[in-house]
Amino acid sequence: MRLPYKQSLLVSAITLFVAVACSKPAAEYRQSLFIFGTVVDLKLRGVSDQQAKEAVQVVERAFQRMHRDWHAWKPGELSALNRSFASDKPHPVTPFLLPLITQSQLLFEQSEGLFNPAIGKLIALWGFHSDELPSGPPPSPEAIAALVDLAPGMDDLEVSNGQVRSHNPAVALDFGGFAKGYALDIAIDLLHKQGVESAIVNAGGDLCVSGDHGGRPWRVGVRHPQGVGILAAVDALDGECLLTSGNYERYRKHDGVRYPHIIDPRDGLPVRHIASATVIDREGGRADAAATALTVAGPGDWYHVARRMRLKYVMLVDEAGTVYMNPAMARRVDFQDGAPERIIISDPL
Ligand code: ADP
Ligand code: MG
């Protein structure tokens, strides 16, 4: 059938419009993944839906591998390595796991041992190697002392030619305070490799951003220490990550006492004085490790640790709700329900 001239022009115009509309980048592509026991929200901008979908699939596959191979207690590469430490023999490690170990060694040293992923046995002793929250009385002081006295640390590990051995059989690696941040770095990297410039990857309030949000910075929230809603809003700039360590979500409770999941490697006890620590950094892994180290350091020592780790933006909230910040962080946070009653601003870092 031949259409009259005017009608065929109209059809061509519509076809052209539909074709342009389909190839035009969608304003924002959103997808949620359930991984690491949490929901990871991704928002991608400036690419077509199809490109975004494929890019997210690549990220999802990487996340699944991390979940398996970096898991501290379920069968996978890390748990096999941990078993090998009993023997003081070198054990081969894939290039997928190795950087977690070498970077953690550096962060362990910079944090003066407060970030210490070698204390997996202590974390297990406290019952946190389980998907469920532990219950019942805390472990005995003798059992805790037995592990603390052996002083497992990242400096017990010898890394050479892709092999790792531990000179201390008390070492067991647990990257619960690092892997999420490091995974966010990899996710952003994978998105870049697929041509995605503007994106946010948000794992329950721990996030990294790339590019911007339609000409404006990505507006993100700082997790509330009590675990409900957000404490403050911040503009996250291209390449920044914001990570929070919190003591409220995972803990055991016995006789009215809470025993949170962040452990002070010096005495083997859960940290109680700090409710949350937030760090903004250009590396998610470093920010995650630093937030854990600052939680352990507490109100008295955080400033010293932040300087040693060369951090730029730090905020802590203690059990009484007092907020501690460096001036550069104070200039960036926008508290949501009015400013907290007590804010202590340190000297510049
Ligand atoms: P969140 O889970 O709130 O993000 P973290 O990033 O601090 O908090 O991670 C806490 C996890 O880190 C714990 O569940 C445990 O696996 C591990 N961990 C506990 N204490 C330490 C420590 N001192 N150094 C390194 N990792 C730790
Ligand atoms: Mg951490």
Side-chain angles (χ1 to χ4, degrees), residues 114-117 119 123 174 176-177 180 206 223 244-246 250 261-263 265 288 292 296:
L114 299 189
F115 167 72
N116 184 358
I119 60 166
I123 295 163
D174 174 326
K180 205 197 279 176
D206 290 332
R223 257 159 63 187
T244 298
S245 279
R250 270 179 80 71
H261 68 147
I262 298 173
I263 311 285
D288 199 353
T292 304
V296 178

Side-chain angles (χ1 to χ4, degrees), residues 74-248:
K74 291 186 184 159
E77 189 182 1
L78 183 59
S79 56
L81 176 66
N82 279 337
R83 276 197 307 279
S84 81
F85 292 153
S87 72
D88 193 17
K89 287 209 185 81
H91 185 89
V93 172
T94 63
F96 193 67
L97 177 62
L98 203 58
L100 265 79
I101 299 170
T102 49
Q103 290 192 23
S104 292
Q105 284 187 305
L106 208 67
L107 293 160
F108 166 82
E109 199 248 27
Q110 288 175 355
S111 68
E112 296 178 343
L114 299 189
F115 167 72
N116 184 358
I119 60 166
K121 284 183 195 268
L122 267 170
I123 295 163
L125 182 67
W126 278 96
F128 293 113
H129 280 180
S130 153
D131 289 330
E132 312 297 321
L133 285 181
S135 56
S140 73
E142 294 74 27
I144 296 169
L147 284 175
V148 172
D149 289 349
L150 295 169
M154 293 305 287
D155 50 355
D156 289 319
L157 296 182
E158 194 184 310
V159 181
S160 78
N161 296 328
Q163 310 224 56
V164 178
R165 77 200 286 179
S166 171
H167 299 302
N168 183 345
V171 167
L173 295 172
D174 174 326
F175 291 114
F178 179 67
K180 205 197 279 176
Y182 189 71
L184 292 172
D185 290 332
I186 292 182
I188 292 287
D189 208 38
L190 288 172
L191 292 176
H192 284 167
K193 287 196 175 117
Q194 293 169 98
V196 180
E197 288 303 325
S198 287
I200 179 165
V201 186
N202 185 344
D206 290 332
L207 56 93
C208 289
V209 309
S210 172
D212 60 24
H213 184 261
R216 284 171 290 122
W218 291 96
R219 187 92 170 145
V220 301
V222 176
R223 257 159 63 187
H224 197 282
Q226 259 88 31
V228 200
I230 63 164
L231 176 67
V234 173
D235 281 337
L237 306 177
D238 179 25
E240 284 189 330
C241 300
L242 180 142
L243 274 286
T244 298
S245 279
N247 252 341
Y248 267 83

Side-chain angles (χ1 to χ4, degrees), residues 32-45:
S32 298
L33 307 172
F34 187 76
I35 201 93
F36 309 131
T38 182
V39 178
V40 182
D41 292 311
L42 294 101
K43 291 182 193 166
L44 281 61
R45 298 180 68 90

Side-chain angles (χ1 to χ4, degrees), residues 331-349:
R331 285 193 290 276
R332 295 188 64 173
V333 290
D334 185 1
F335 287 105
Q336 291 303 281
D337 294 323
E341 258 176 47
R342 237 165 90 79
I343 299 182
I344 298 174
I345 313 261
S346 70
D347 289 336
L349 282 172

Side-chain angles (χ1 to χ4, degrees), residues 58 66 134 222 282 326:
V58 172
M66 294 168 195
V222 176
R282 298 188 68 78
N326 65 304

